[in-house]
Amino acid sequence: MLYSSLMEEHIDLICRISLVLILLGAMATGLPHRKKADDRGGRVSRREDPTWFWVCMSFVGPPAFLAIITFIIQPRWLDWSAVSL
């Protein structure tokens, strides 16, 4: 019961820390591969993915990244986007 109470009380902090760890894990996984490709004179080709993917990423990516960073810094700034379930 005590554990459940602590989880409910600190769920926001737990989510924020988890999100930071996920971002750090993604960077720790991706950056060495990109560095290795750069060292060998190659690049990660954008031609591997279809054009529609990059168009969608250019519209969805920056707002999503901004929302993630905002949630990590100050979650209350995103209260306007809450959806009641």
Side-chain angles (χ1 to χ4, degrees), residues 3 5 8-9 12 22 30 32 45-46 54 58 74-75 82 84:
Y3 177 75
S5 173
E8 288 176 10
E9 191 174 310
D12 191 48
I22 289 169
S45 176
R46 291 186 179 205
W54 290 111
S58 67
Q74 185 58 262
S84 62

Side-chain angles (χ1 to χ4, degrees), residues 15-82:
C15 288
R16 291 166 67 188
I17 291 171
S18 299
L19 191 56
V20 168
L21 292 175
I22 289 169
L23 287 175
L24 290 175
M27 288 191 311
T29 302
L31 290 177
H33 293 289
R34 291 194 176 272
K35 182 169 175 10
K36 186 186 292 185
D38 285 342
D39 290 345
R40 292 184 179 171
R43 288 188 59 177
V44 177
S45 176
R46 291 186 179 205
R47 293 182 183 164
E48 298 290 326
D49 297 316
T51 304
W52 65 264
F53 173 78
W54 290 111
V55 170
C56 289
M57 287 299 291
S58 67
F59 286 111
V60 175
F65 187 73
L66 184 62
I68 290 169
I69 297 301
T70 302
F71 180 75
I72 291 170
I73 295 171
Q74 185 58 262
R76 294 201 182 261
W77 291 346
L78 295 174
D79 282 348
W80 61 270
S81 63

